[in-house]
Amino acid sequence: MRRTTLLSGLATAALLASVGTVPTAASAAPGVSGDAFTRAVAQFRAHAGTGLAADGQTFTPRNVVTDADGTEHVRLNRYSDGLPVLGGDLIVHLGEGNRWRGATDGLAAAPQRAPKAKLSQAAAGKLALAASTAGRRSVAGAQLVFDAGATATTLAYEVVVGGTYADGTPSELHVLVDASTGAVRDSWEGVQREGTGNTYHSGSVSVGSNLSGGTYQLADPTRGNHRTYDLNGGTSGTGTLVTSTTNVFGNGTLANRQTAAADAAYGAQKTWDYYKSAHGRSGIRNDGVGAYSRVHYSSNYANAFWSDSCFCMTYGDGGSGWYPLTSLDVAGHEMTHGVTSNTAGLRYSGESGGLNEATSDIFGTLVEFYAANAKDPGDYLIGEKLRSTGVPLRYMDKPAKDGKSADCWSSSVGGLDVHYSSGVANHFFYLLAVGSGSSSYGNSPTCNGSTVTGIGNTKAGAIWYRALTRYMTSTTNYKGARTATLSAATDLYGSTSTEYRTVAAAWSAVSVN
């Protein structure tokens, strides 16, 4: 996948040809009403410190997000004397009735008025060329900007250096050159490349990577900068960022340490893409920020886990009879714990704990289907790639096949380990999506002898997601889950719809009435 951004997205393509300034038109960007933009700028000027909204500063809109209670979060680009202020973008928060609720602003110091560049554009271009490692490179464009640092805002040239890397990938390296000293302040690649991951579980796949200083990092700038680290047997910290000189990670065998890292990166990538595609969710917190993954945790560790404290997934290498815990469904499962934590916050005990685990099993399964990987096709088995025997950890068509999980609800379900009380919700979801009886995915009985016709993964997933994010709370039990999913089905399809009736039938089929 390739994504190209020219001049930080703040300038038009015409500016690639020469130094220029950015128009300060107050027209609204797509998704931002002119009224919201105008009100946001007026409130910011009225409430921000005089330096941060000084004369000469103008703003253009980027987007606005409106909460259910009417709170608006208006994101703005900032300019000073017509020059873009890189790192000066801000978000103005407006409550109901245009009430000021503050601003998120990273600008430490206002730019100097009427600055003068001591360095010429040509000299800046030569310095930027030297910073690129691409072949056949040339200056594609340059403009004066302000670069907002931690303590000061500095006049600089943003120079775009075009070229081609040895593997044929084009380069659009953005280089910030101090307009006074000629020092290179920063640089970043405008063309984001995906490397090749030779995974253990999923075969050869594309994985997000980032070129830095001639080395490819297993870091995905297109998905919140998710990064993959090697703990090398450790149990704390981040370990070492996985890198490659060739943009190829792993060789498909466990003898190569990067193979498990490629699996983890691929799982994170597909999980991000599933949530974005199916539910419009940008990352675990829906804030566009990627978590990170840690592989090679401890020694002979046959498990994987999500941690809110580090906002990360951690994977063990397995032990005797186990393979690395980095399969697609496990990756989706672990990251969904993060989604649950940032939405319903289902308490990890009793029936709510079972619903928490089931939510991860459900969306881990849907990630696997979404990926459509021939080496790990979608199914309703959890962790079927992890044991050398091929025996899954859990079954969704008939959870009791594992010898511990519950097929049907009873008053004792809340006393089970959450991985086994999850069986009731897993069974419900299978019935909702696939239906009862025999299919190519399994053979699912019902607890009341009824017949259920499934509505498919897409609708079943939409109902569960809406229930999780709109109606479930930290202590929701199975009765509450029935109510939540019926409310979600009503919102999406109507209370007289086939989907609503199937939700009700599927819960009754697992004895949740």
Side-chain angles (χ1 to χ4, degrees):
M1 180 180 295
R2 180 174 300 147
R3 182 187 69 184
T4 303
T5 54
L6 301 179
L7 295 176
S8 305
L10 299 179
T12 63
L15 289 175
L16 286 173
S18 63
V19 175
T21 59
V22 178
T24 56
S27 59
V32 183
S33 71
D35 176 60
F37 166 62
T38 302
R39 288 186 289 104
V41 172
Q43 287 282 42
F44 181 68
R45 290 194 186 281
H47 291 88
T50 56
L52 298 182
D55 290 343
Q57 289 192 31
T58 53
F59 305 91
T60 59
R62 289 178 60 184
N63 58 60
V64 61
V65 176
T66 304
D67 294 340
D69 65 358
T71 300
E72 296 171 301
H73 309 275
V74 185
R75 191 180 297 270
L76 307 172
N77 292 319
R78 177 190 261 120
Y79 304 87
S80 181
D81 290 324
L83 301 183
V85 182
L86 306 189
D89 53 302
L90 65 145
I91 308 168
V92 177
H93 309 287
L94 302 176
E96 186 177 1
N98 200 40
R99 181 168 53 88
W100 170 258
R101 297 188 62 178
T104 303
D105 186 3
L107 191 68
Q112 176 187 355
R113 294 301 309 278
K116 301 295 182 183
K118 297 179 181 178
L119 193 71
S120 69
Q121 177 187 338
K126 289 180 180 179
L127 292 167
L129 282 171
S132 172
T133 59
R136 300 194 300 276
R137 55 190 180 270
S138 61
V139 173
Q143 69 170 340
L144 279 169
V145 300
F146 285 105
D147 180 31
T151 59
T153 303
T154 303
L155 185 67
Y157 287 99
E158 182 181 12
V159 183
V160 179
V161 179
T164 305
Y165 290 107
D167 65 358
T169 302
S171 170
E172 290 175 1
L173 186 71
H174 294 242
V175 183
L176 290 183
V177 180
D178 191 303
S180 294
T181 67
V184 174
R185 295 175 58 82
D186 198 7
S187 65
W188 63 91
E189 183 59 68
V191 177
Q192 307 295 347
R193 294 186 276 180
E194 288 197 347
T196 298
N198 293 312
T199 71
Y200 184 74
H201 295 297
S202 301
S204 182
V205 297
S206 293
V207 292
S209 64
N210 182 57
L211 181 64
S212 177
T215 300
Y216 294 94
Q217 302 171 335
L218 198 49
D220 192 344
T222 67
R223 298 175 180 88
N225 202 34
H226 171 272
R227 303 164 81 84
T228 305
Y229 295 89
D230 183 351
L231 280 172
N232 197 32
T235 57
S236 62
T238 58
T240 304
L241 181 63
V242 177
T243 61
S244 167
T245 59
T246 62
N247 210 17
V248 176
F249 300 88
N251 63 4
T253 72
L254 299 183
N256 187 308
R257 297 188 64 80
Q258 292 192 355
T259 295
D263 271 303
Y266 178 65
Q269 174 177 304
K270 289 303 177 184
T271 302
W272 179 286
D273 290 351
Y274 164 75
Y275 274 106
K276 183 68 173 176
S277 174
H279 308 297
R281 189 177 188 86
S282 296
I284 288 169
R285 291 188 299 234
N286 199 26
D287 61 356
V289 177
Y292 65 90
S293 297
R294 306 186 301 177
V295 296
H296 302 303
Y297 178 85
S298 190
S299 177
N300 297 317
Y301 182 69
N303 214 329
F305 60 87
W306 164 265
S307 170
D308 282 326
S309 62
C310 69
F311 196 59
C312 70
M313 292 76 64
T314 302
Y315 302 94
D317 290 331
S320 178
W322 289 81
Y323 300 123
L325 280 287
T326 50
S327 62
L328 264 175
D329 56 355
V330 172
H333 175 108
E334 297 308 332
M335 280 175 274
T336 297
H337 279 308
V339 174
T340 298
S341 177
N342 283 277
T343 53
L346 289 162
R347 186 177 297 170
Y348 205 61
S349 63
E351 292 190 16
S352 60
L355 287 166
N356 189 317
E357 272 297 314
T359 297
S360 284
D361 283 349
I362 288 166
F363 288 118
T365 294
L366 294 179
V367 166
E368 191 177 72
F369 273 99
Y370 173 83
N373 185 293
K375 294 287 187 180
D376 190 5
D379 52 46
Y380 298 90
L381 308 171
I382 309 302
E384 72 279 2
K385 305 272 289 183
L386 303 182
R387 289 170 166 157
S388 58
T389 60
V391 175
L393 300 180
R394 290 184 290 282
Y395 304 81
M396 297 182 78
D397 65 325
K398 183 173 172 52
K401 283 194 288 187
D402 66 11
K404 296 180 179 179
S405 292
D407 282 346
C408 311
W409 182 86
S410 71
S411 59
S412 62
V413 160
L416 297 177
D417 180 278
V418 295
H419 295 86
Y420 305 132
S421 62
S422 65
V424 178
N426 281 342
H427 190 193
F428 158 80
F429 187 83
Y430 182 94
L431 292 170
L432 181 62
V434 181
S436 60
S438 180
S439 76
S440 59
Y441 295 111
N443 191 350
S444 189
T446 59
C447 306
N448 61 358
S450 65
T451 298
V452 178
T453 300
I455 60 174
N457 279 344
T458 300
K459 290 181 177 179
I463 290 169
W464 194 270
Y465 180 80
R466 186 168 183 84
L468 177 74
T469 58
R470 304 297 198 278
Y471 295 112
M472 291 186 186
T473 65
S474 61
T475 56
T476 294
N477 57 16
Y478 274 110
K479 180 180 178 181
R482 178 186 172 106
T483 301
T485 50
L486 286 171
S487 295
T490 298
D491 294 345
L492 295 170
Y493 308 108
S495 60
T496 61
S497 64
T498 297
E499 292 82 3
Y500 180 95
R501 292 193 298 270
T502 306
V503 170
W507 278 123
S508 295
V510 296
S511 301
V512 179
N513 297 300

